[in-house]
Amino acid sequence: MRRKRRPSVVCTLGSDADLFHVAKTVTGLCRLEAQDRINLTLRHSLAIGQYAIVLESDGTTAGIDLSDHSDRMMPELSHCDLYFKRCVKPEDLKPGGRIRPFGLNYACRSTRATLGLLSLFGPIDAIRRRGAWKKFLCIPLFAEFERKPVQAASHTILFQARLWDPAECPGDENVNEDRVRLLLALRSEFKERLAGGLAPTPYAKQHYPELLTAYPSRQSRYVRWAREHLISIGFRGLFGSLGFKIAEAFAASQCLVSEPTTAYLSADAPLAKYRNIEECIAICDHFLSHPDEASQLRNQAWEYYRTDVEPGAHMAKLLGSLQ
């Protein structure tokens, strides 16, 4: 029997690519290469920005926009046949249109992807961008985020949030106030059943020292601790974007209780939405009090992760849409 031809995929990153944001895409492509499903070539280009990726396969080009902004398009991706946008407003999506939702992103890597990126950019870049590479190499392997629903979960609620210096989020300064109000309410209601707090950023240390987390905040340690909890609280990212926490919750098969965002999220994504603090408290209390329903949502979360979020599955779906 003739062996099926493996499609060739060329992945072009920016020469100053944000390794933290592009890591999942490269990891997924490397997973497919390791499974003999594609022939992968990695390249980099000065013509592409930090949060952009271009994929070429069988004569079709796909641009990937990983930025937080739903109201901006990247000019360097204007030539691409398809434009996959991580944060896109539902009204910008048309059936059969060029603009497509990218799906959920989060910072994860594999050994193969790590070696591929180190080989692509070389030692000079690793020295020039020492801080970026150190941050990248501290990212956990994708399997470390995973916790199957057959594994028991702690009867607790995970809430760990980052606050932003207002200079980092012009036009969305309310994001900090929203997170602090929710944290205070959940702490008051659930006491020791709430695990977490604010990540110890300089801004949080200065303005809310009493709310800093007592739990791990460095990502390598945080991920192993965070995946043990039954419930994960999600909140909108900057400018209404889809935060990494959403994907991480599905990988850990958690009951995700999240506020809506202005960015498109598939209706198939298994989560419970809250519109205000009272609803968030009520939903969390319901899952803590109804283990069968919590177990059902955990199973749905794991299945969604396996088919839509896991790096290899995610990239296989995206490449399939290029055919």
Side-chain angles (χ1 to χ4, degrees):
M1 182 182 293
R2 179 179 294 180
R3 188 176 182 181
K4 185 177 180 181
R5 182 184 70 87
R6 291 182 295 173
S8 295
V9 177
V10 178
C11 173
T12 305
L13 308 171
S15 295
D16 283 319
D18 188 306
L19 302 170
F20 198 75
H21 283 76
V22 305
K24 183 196 176 186
T25 296
V26 177
T27 296
L29 294 171
C30 287
R31 289 270 290 161
L32 298 180
E33 181 185 44
Q35 296 164 2
D36 287 331
R37 296 169 66 181
I38 64 171
N39 293 315
L40 177 63
T41 301
L42 294 176
R43 295 177 181 169
H44 65 86
S45 169
L46 288 168
I48 297 177
Q50 289 181 297
Y51 302 105
I53 301 172
V54 175
L55 301 182
E56 302 171 60
S57 180
D58 289 334
T60 301
T61 57
I64 299 176
D65 174 351
L66 298 174
S67 75
D68 286 334
H69 297 276
S70 59
D71 58 346
R72 303 178 189 176
M73 304 291 282
M74 294 182 172
E76 65 266 39
L77 303 181
S78 61
H79 70 284
C80 294
D81 300 310
L82 296 174
Y83 191 116
F84 290 88
K85 193 164 176 54
R86 171 179 157 242
C87 296
V88 59
K89 295 178 180 177
E91 58 265 29
D92 292 333
L93 298 172
K94 311 297 182 196
R98 174 174 173 265
I99 300 176
R100 311 282 178 89
F102 171 73
L104 295 173
N105 196 28
Y106 66 113
C108 64
R109 65 186 178 93
S110 67
T111 300
R112 191 183 189 104
T114 302
L115 295 175
L117 287 170
L118 285 168
S119 176
L120 172 67
F121 288 104
I124 294 177
D125 186 73
I127 295 171
R128 179 177 69 88
R129 298 199 293 158
R130 186 180 296 112
W133 280 99
K134 181 179 179 181
K135 183 179 180 181
F136 168 71
L137 293 172
C138 288
I139 295 173
L141 301 177
F142 74 93
E144 294 182 58
F145 290 86
E146 297 178 353
R147 188 177 180 87
K148 297 179 180 180
V150 294
Q151 297 174 270
S154 172
H155 215 57
T156 46
I157 303 165
L158 170 67
F159 182 110
Q160 191 127 309
R162 175 181 176 179
L163 299 188
W164 304 85
D165 188 297
E168 298 177 285
C169 54
D172 194 17
E173 294 85 357
N174 289 339
V175 67
N176 290 339
E177 185 179 339
D178 292 344
R179 293 181 179 189
V180 168
R181 281 204 309 266
L182 180 59
L183 172 58
L184 288 171
L186 291 172
R187 275 191 173 183
S188 175
E189 179 70 25
F190 294 105
K191 311 243 175 347
E192 70 279 356
R193 290 183 294 173
L194 184 78
L198 300 179
T201 61
Y203 184 84
K205 288 179 180 179
Q206 179 181 354
H207 296 278
Y208 300 98
E210 73 284 1
L211 296 180
L212 298 180
T213 181
Y215 298 91
S217 57
R218 290 189 178 182
Q219 197 183 29
S220 56
R221 294 179 57 210
Y222 164 78
V223 166
R224 297 186 185 92
W225 165 78
R227 66 186 182 183
E228 298 177 359
H229 305 282
L230 175 66
I231 298 170
S232 178
I233 302 296
F235 21 75
R236 66 179 183 85
L238 286 182
F239 313 108
S241 63
L242 299 172
F244 287 9
K245 184 178 291 290
I246 297 176
E248 293 171 3
F250 290 140
S253 64
Q254 291 174 316
C255 296
L256 177 60
V257 181
S258 184
E259 69 176 323
T261 72
T262 55
Y264 171 84
L265 180 62
S266 170
D268 296 332
L271 54 85
K273 293 182 181 179
Y274 66 87
R275 291 166 295 182
N276 52 53
I277 290 174
E278 291 73 23
E279 278 192 351
C280 183
I281 290 173
I283 293 170
C284 290
D285 185 65
H286 183 83
F287 283 127
L288 290 172
S289 306
H290 296 78
D292 289 344
E293 291 186 34
S295 178
Q296 182 180 6
L297 188 57
R298 289 191 69 201
N299 283 314
Q300 292 171 353
W302 178 250
E303 186 60 26
Y304 187 73
Y305 168 75
R306 288 181 58 253
T307 58
D308 288 73
V309 181
E310 186 274 324
H314 186 176
M315 286 303 104
K317 273 200 166 184
L318 190 150
L319 292 174
S321 68
L322 305 188
Q323 306 304 317

